Every structure is written in structure tokens, then in C-alpha cells.
Amino acid sequence: MTSAPLPPSGAAPRRRRAFGRPAWARVPALAAALVLVLTALLGGNPQTASAATYARISGAGSTWSQNALDQWRRNVTQYGMTVNYAGTGSSDGREQFRSGTVDFAVSEVPYGLTEFGRTDYPPKRGYAYMPIVAGGTSFMYNLKIGGRRVTNLRLSGDVLTKIFTGRITRWNDPAVKADNPGLDLPARKVVPVVRSDGSGTTAQFSTWMSKEHGAAWNDYCRRANKPTPCGVTSYFPVVPGSGFIAQSGSLGVSGYVRQGYAEGAITYVEYSYALSTGFPVAKVLNKSNYYVEPTATSVAVGLLKARINTDQHSPAYLTQILDGVYHNPDRRTYPLSSYSYMILPTKLERPLTKDKGRTLGAFSYYFLCEGQQQAQSLGYSPLPINLVKAGLKQVRRVPGVDVRNIDIKSCHNPTFSSDGSNTLAKNAPFPKDCDRKGPKQCSMGTAGAHGKPTPVKPGAQTSGGGTAGAGGAAGASGAGGSSGSAGSDAAQGGASGSAGAGGAGGIDPDTGQNATAAGATGGEQIAATNVELGPESTWSMRTLLMLLSAALLIGVVVTPPLLGRALGGRDGRDGRDRRGGDGA
């Protein structure tokens, strides 16, 4: 054993302290060790460990799902990810992906659509579809009776089709009044507001009209000088002189309808936009003769009847077939329910790099698992477990992805259950009797106008309110759900009650309207609702560990010198006292 070095000749030997060093000298080592432990703990999360190395990625496409995407990309900035997204419409997103100007695209319809003699051919670059979020295509409107906003409008499929094909032009039309026995509807002109750009929302709406009301849809296309049968289109044809208003993007159509000068207007848009702007949506008549709002649970119930292309060798793998949704006999069903796809690159070719693939994979893992917990509060419907599992398999096909073995139970998706059923759909409440087609009409408001009832005529009075857009969280299967009903229907809701006009501000360059709706388009701009992130919330374990680590780092820098000087000074005095005493 090597002995300690001797002091210089003539010097008095010093008494060695316990452990061979002064106590203060061990503080830095102890703090450093604790910091290393904390760093290891923090590094256990692969997203945090590599936060500084993510490459910037960009995408374009759907405005239908943009509010969810904007929230998710805002959330992942905490991991060092920058995800740019431009809501330019599904058709433009597919075109940009095909031409290689974006890393990913988002669309409600797959490639291969033939409309008015033009085919949307698939790209030559490798690609795959991945479900990202479900929701309901809703009908947001601006209507008043005696100066008071109507919040409980009901419309059948036949009436909706006649409105958007120009056959119903006044709100007091007998067919509209038949749907709304409790309202003294005004003789105001109906102003249909449609998309001017190529839109997945238009494709979803036109798919439904072509299958459920084909004769009326074909007649309209002939009047618009389009070939028939009209079928599915992402570009809504407008008959000259019809009085239709065409606007670009979901923000454009919803922004127009919410203006004071747009009284009488109605548009088709994702439910999330009505929530964020404080406006109601129409309850739509389903096959069981109940008028239903597109809440999280009603969408989840509807999508129980969706068929999914499960042929992994098909170019349309994981795309949806919605005929069963339109005819779902469950009275809780919202008939225009569907989901959106992300178009992923599967080959390492321009503009994709391995670093970009790594970011895209990490972002996809985030929204397929953690992000789905927020779908309901944003006005969407979380994906069911079968689509989440299928999506996780698709992520593995992205070049450069850090493949993760996700424990599906840790996702805490509100649709998941131990027996494989969709919890949202399973626990979805039934509509009230006053929502059944007949002489009664619920008074409670919907979507962003939840909690703002519209008085109904004495002969149509009921004891309860109808569904509304705030509310609860019971589960479902099919494809998830968002928002629910009010009054005794509170469990049906998803996105929070009345969501006042929120979001970005400024003027939308496409429409000239105030861009105040949440989810404004733009590459860098992110306007989304702040929500609590559960395990990723502000005071999560990760955050506490980071704060403790910072405190220890400060302690390493500041405490040792101060403690050293204090103890060193005392040691010097003790030494002098001892030397003085020995020499006496």
C-alpha cells in the first residue's frame, strides 16, 4: 500500500481528516455525481436525449386536420423538433409530395382520384398512407331569428344536398322547416360557402352526396357544365350566378361564415373550426331518424361501420371505405364521419434525408400515441387501437427512422380498452328524445355555441337540451371521438364548450378575411389551443428532474468556492491556534 507523501522537511505534520480530504472538497464530486445520475435519467427518454439533433421537416395539405397538426407540432418543439406545415388543401398537398417539394403530405383522399376527366396519378417516389386523426365533416352556419343567433339547427341529408346544389334558397323553405319544428325560420337567403381550392373536405362531402343523393348531385354537375356521373371531386363546381361563395381553405370558409355580414351563410368544414370560432353546427339526420352532432363519440360510433383496406400490397392500403358509416343503424351515429391520412415517404430520395426521416418518424410516434389524447379537446376523434397499431407499422417504413417498440398500453388513448373494443363508442350516450325526427326539438346549442340555447316554439318545447360540443369523454371504437353533448348528454362531448374566437389574428392572404380561427395556415405560424399534455405537462417528472439538475449545477459552481473560503479560513485559524499553543 502506498503511503501518503511526507510534508516538507521541518514542517509540522498535519492531522489527516476523515476520508483523506476536507468535507468541502468533496462537494463538487458529490454534486457532479448527482448531475450525472440526473442526466442519465433524462437521457432515458430518446426524444429528449436527441433533442438537439433533429432536422427540420416540412409538409403541406389538409386543412381539415390542420388544427390537430398545428397543436402537435407546437408540442414537439419541447423535444427540439421543428415541423413546418402549410394548410394549402389536400389536392395541393398531394401535388407537392408528388413533385418532391415537401417531406410529407396530409390528405383525406388517396391518390388515383379521377374527377371531371382528370386523374390524380400517384407519385413515382415511394409512399405509404398512415391514419392520423378522425373527425366529422360538419355544417357551420350563421343564422339569426329576431336578432338572436340560432344554435340548434337540424338538417336532413336531403335538405343539405338541396342547399349545396342550389335547390333550396331560403331558410324558411318548407323542407328546412320540417326539420326544425321548434324554430320560426326567417325568409333570409341561404348562402352556401364552398371551397375554391382542391379539398379533402370537398371530396368527403361529394363522396357522401354522390352515394346518398346521386341524382341531385349529377343534376347539379350538369348545370355547372361538368361531365356526369359527377362522382367524387375535390374541386366543388360552382354554377355561375348561383350566389354560392367560394373561399380557400377551412380557415377561409369558416372565416367568411362567422362575419357579421354573412348572416344566412352555411359551409362544410371540420368540426374543430366551429369549436374554435364559437359557432354552432347543424345536427344531421342519420339512418335511425335522429339528428346528431359530430362529437367525438358520435364519430367513433359511426366509424365502427367503416371498412379499412387491409391488403398490404394494395396502393390504397389503410384507406377508408365509408358506405357502412352512411348507413350505420346505431342512433348515436354521425353519418359524415371519416379520418385523415399522412402520406409518408418510404424511399430515400429527394427531398428526404436520413436525418429528416428520423424527425418524421419521431413526430409520427408522438402523434400516434401521446397526441391522440388531445384529439377530443381539439374537436377531433382519436384513432382506435387497430389504426394506431397499423400506423406504427407504417412509421417503420420511413428511411432513417429510429424504430421504437411502443408499448401500446402506454399511449392512454381514450378509445383503447383491455378487450379491444373502442371505449368511446362503447360508452357513447344516446341522443335525447327531442333529437328524434318529429314535433319536438331540443333547444341546446352545439359546437362552439354550446351552452347557448335557442328558445323553441311552445308546441315544440321539451324538458331537456340537445347535444352540444363540450363535454365528456366516454369511449368508442371505430375511429375515435371528439366532443360531446350537453345537459344530460354531457358525456358525449369532446372539445371544450364554447371556444371563443381564437387563434392567429391578422388577414388571411387567400381570403382577405380576419384570420382569427385557430389553426391558421402558414409554414412557421402555429396557432393552436393550449392543452395540458398529461405526462408531458409542465410539472412532469422530466421537468422536475431538469429543475433539480439546474439547481445542482448552480450549487457546483457557487457553493464550493464559498464553502472552501469559509472552511479554509477556519482551518488557518485552527492551525495558528495550535502552533501558538505548542510553542508556549
Side-chain angles (χ1 to χ4, degrees), residues 129-131 312 317-318 365 368-369 372 383-396 404 406-409 411 413 415-421:
Y129 299 113
M130 180 177 70
Q312 298 189 27
Y317 175 54
L318 293 186
Y365 279 129
L368 282 173
C369 190
Q372 295 298 314
L383 295 175
I385 193 168
N386 63 314
L387 291 185
V388 173
K389 287 179 176 179
L392 292 173
K393 291 180 180 179
Q394 295 290 65
V395 177
R396 290 172 173 260
R404 300 178 192 170
I406 301 291
D407 180 2
I408 199 73
K409 296 178 181 178
C411 288
N413 184 312
T415 71
F416 293 3
S417 66
S418 58
D419 63 3
S421 64

Side-chain angles (χ1 to χ4, degrees), residues 544-571:
L544 292 175
L545 289 173
M546 292 176 67
L547 291 174
L548 182 57
S549 179
L552 284 172
L553 286 172
I554 293 172
V556 170
V557 174
V558 177
T559 304
L562 295 176
L563 188 59
R565 282 196 291 271
L567 294 178
R570 191 176 69 183
D571 286 347

Side-chain angles (χ1 to χ4, degrees), residues 154 283 289-291 331 430-442 460-467 488-489:
R154 314 191 311 189
K283 295 178 184 177
N289 276 331
Y290 279 87
Y291 295 92
R331 58 181 166 172
F430 289 93
K432 298 180 71 65
D433 288 342
C434 53
D435 278 324
R436 183 176 176 85
K437 186 174 178 64
K440 302 294 183 180
Q441 183 165 2
C442 296
Q461 284 180 346
T462 66
S463 59
T467 62
S488 61
D489 296 350

Side-chain angles (χ1 to χ4, degrees), residues 209-443:
M209 284 194 292
S210 67
K211 290 179 178 291
E212 299 298 299
H213 305 278
W217 182 231
N218 287 333
D219 174 68
Y220 177 77
C221 286
R222 279 191 292 268
R223 286 185 279 130
N225 297 316
K226 299 296 183 182
T228 56
C230 200
V232 181
T233 178
S234 56
Y235 292 90
F236 200 101
V238 175
V239 176
S242 62
F244 283 33
I245 300 294
Q247 297 286 296
S248 175
S250 295
L251 179 61
V253 294
S254 62
Y256 183 92
V257 169
R258 66 188 297 268
Q259 301 302 318
Y261 55 74
E263 189 175 342
I266 183 170
T267 192
Y268 55 91
V269 71
E270 214 288 320
Y271 186 65
S272 176
Y273 288 84
L275 286 173
S276 65
T277 56
F279 269 69
V281 299
K283 295 178 184 177
V284 176
L285 189 68
N286 63 24
K287 291 300 180 181
S288 294
N289 276 331
Y290 279 87
Y291 295 92
V292 177
E293 181 182 354
T295 63
T297 51
S298 62
V299 168
V301 171
L303 288 173
L304 288 175
K305 295 295 184 180
R307 288 195 299 116
I308 309 300
N309 185 330
T310 57
D311 181 1
Q312 298 189 27
H313 301 291
S314 168
Y317 175 54
L318 293 186
T319 59
Q320 57 198 334
I321 303 170
L322 300 174
D323 301 62
V325 178
Y326 305 153
H327 294 269
N328 191 333
D330 194 313
R331 58 181 166 172
R332 301 169 296 173
T333 293
Y334 184 73
L336 279 86
S337 300
S338 58
Y339 63 86
S340 189
Y341 318 106
M342 179 175 282
I343 302 173
L344 296 172
T346 57
K347 290 184 180 179
L348 195 61
E349 51 193 329
R350 180 183 169 277
L352 187 71
T353 64
K354 284 189 175 181
D355 287 340
K356 286 185 174 184
R358 183 170 173 274
T359 305
L360 182 55
F363 181 51
S364 300
Y365 279 129
Y366 173 81
F367 67 68
L368 282 173
C369 190
E370 297 299 322
Q372 295 298 314
Q373 298 178 39
Q374 301 168 252
Q376 191 167 341
S377 63
L378 293 169
Y380 296 89
S381 190
L383 295 175
I385 193 168
N386 63 314
L387 291 185
V388 173
K389 287 179 176 179
L392 292 173
K393 291 180 180 179
Q394 295 290 65
V395 177
R396 290 172 173 260
R397 301 177 63 185
V398 178
V401 63
D402 284 340
V403 176
R404 300 178 192 170
N405 294 315
I406 301 291
D407 180 2
I408 199 73
K409 296 178 181 178
S410 68
C411 288
H412 305 297
N413 184 312
T415 71
F416 293 3
S417 66
S418 58
D419 63 3
S421 64
N422 187 314
T423 305
L424 276 177
K426 188 176 182 180
N427 297 330
F430 289 93
K432 298 180 71 65
D433 288 342
C434 53
D435 278 324
R436 183 176 176 85
K437 186 174 178 64
K440 302 294 183 180
Q441 183 165 2
C442 296
S443 61

